[in-house]
Structure formats: structure tokens, C-alpha cells
Amino acid sequence: MTDHVSADLYAQVQQFYARQMGLLDDGRPDDWADTFAEDAVFQEASRLNEPLRGREAIRESSRARKKRLDADKIDFRHWLGMLSVTPQDDGSLRTRAYALAMRVPRGGDLDIFASVVCHDHLVLVDGTWQVRHRDLHHDGSGRD
């Protein structure tokens, strides 16, 4: 197994994340949740308890988050960078990226809300990449 992917596959993964984060930032929680595998596990950096398990739990959490943001009149934006993509023997991918989460009160100034490290396990389902496992943790948490 090689430790890198082709430029074409790397671009596909970048496009996946651009689309996925765009769905979240555009307030489309149902479509965003559909980018996760049915059996996905999502450990959010802000959750101190158990990870979200399954696409429907991720969908419910995302819908609730959208309602809170709408009520508070806040827009969120995400930026992913320093993406590394490592192929696995089974055809899946392991990725690591830095992510900035920014919030903008409508009519206000941008605030960097969080800086996290994102570790994903991506699987190909019917020709489309989906997240099977996501682990987010805040910078400075001692985890890499």
C-alpha cells in the first residue's frame, strides 16, 4: 500500500469536503447528514459524552444546531486545510485536516469560534464518498 493518493483522487476528496461543508454552511442539515454512512460514528469536539451513532442521530443533531443558529441569527462557516489523504488496503481513505469554524452574527463581525483537527474514515458507497467515522478535537487538547 502506498501512503499517498493520485492527484485526481486528492481533488475528488477536496471536492467532497467543499460540498459537505457547503451543505452545512448553507443550512441544509438533511443533505449534510446524507454525506455520512448509515452506520457512521461522529465524535464532535464539543461533545463530552458519547459520539453520535448512525446517520439519523447525526441528522437530528444537525437539525437542532440549525434551529439554534437561526434563533440566534448566526451564520457559520467552515474552512478545511492542510488535508492529508491516506489510502487503505480495503479502498477506503483516512484523512486528516485542520478546520476553522467561524461564526458571523448577521450584520456583525466574523469570529473564529474553534480550531479543530478532523480525522475521517471515508468509504465509497455507490460511487460517492461518505464519512464512516469522524473524530474532531480542539487544538491544544493534547491529541493529534
Side-chain angles (χ1 to χ4, degrees), residues 9 25 32 48 58 60 62 67 74 90-91 94 96 99-101 109 123 141 144:
L9 181 54
D25 292 347
W32 180 76
L48 300 176
I58 294 167
E60 288 175 25
S62 182
K67 285 182 184 179
I74 294 175
D90 64 0
R94 297 284 178 170
R96 180 183 185 275
L100 292 178
D109 295 327
V123 294
S141 67
D144 187 22

Side-chain angles (χ1 to χ4, degrees), residues 64-83:
R65 180 179 175 274
K66 180 182 179 339
K67 285 182 184 179
R68 287 190 309 273
L69 292 173
D70 286 346
D72 292 339
K73 296 184 169 91
I74 294 175
D75 291 326
F76 243 74
R77 298 291 179 256
H78 293 82
W79 176 88
L80 260 63
M82 303 303 292
L83 174 66

Side-chain angles (χ1 to χ4, degrees), residues 16-52:
F16 166 79
Y17 283 117
R19 179 178 174 276
Q20 186 189 49
M21 293 298 101
L23 291 169
L24 186 61
D25 292 347
D26 289 345
R28 298 170 55 188
D30 292 327
D31 293 332
W32 180 76
D34 287 341
T35 65
F36 288 82
E38 287 286 342
D39 61 348
V41 176
F42 184 5
Q43 180 63 58
E44 296 177 290
S46 60
R47 291 179 67 92
L48 300 176
N49 51 0
E50 288 295 311
L52 298 169

Side-chain angles (χ1 to χ4, degrees), residues 112-130:
I112 295 178
F113 177 72
S115 175
V116 300
V117 180
C118 176
H119 290 268
D120 277 355
H121 181 202
L122 302 180
V123 294
L124 204 53
V125 178
D126 297 327
T128 303
W129 290 108
Q130 293 184 343

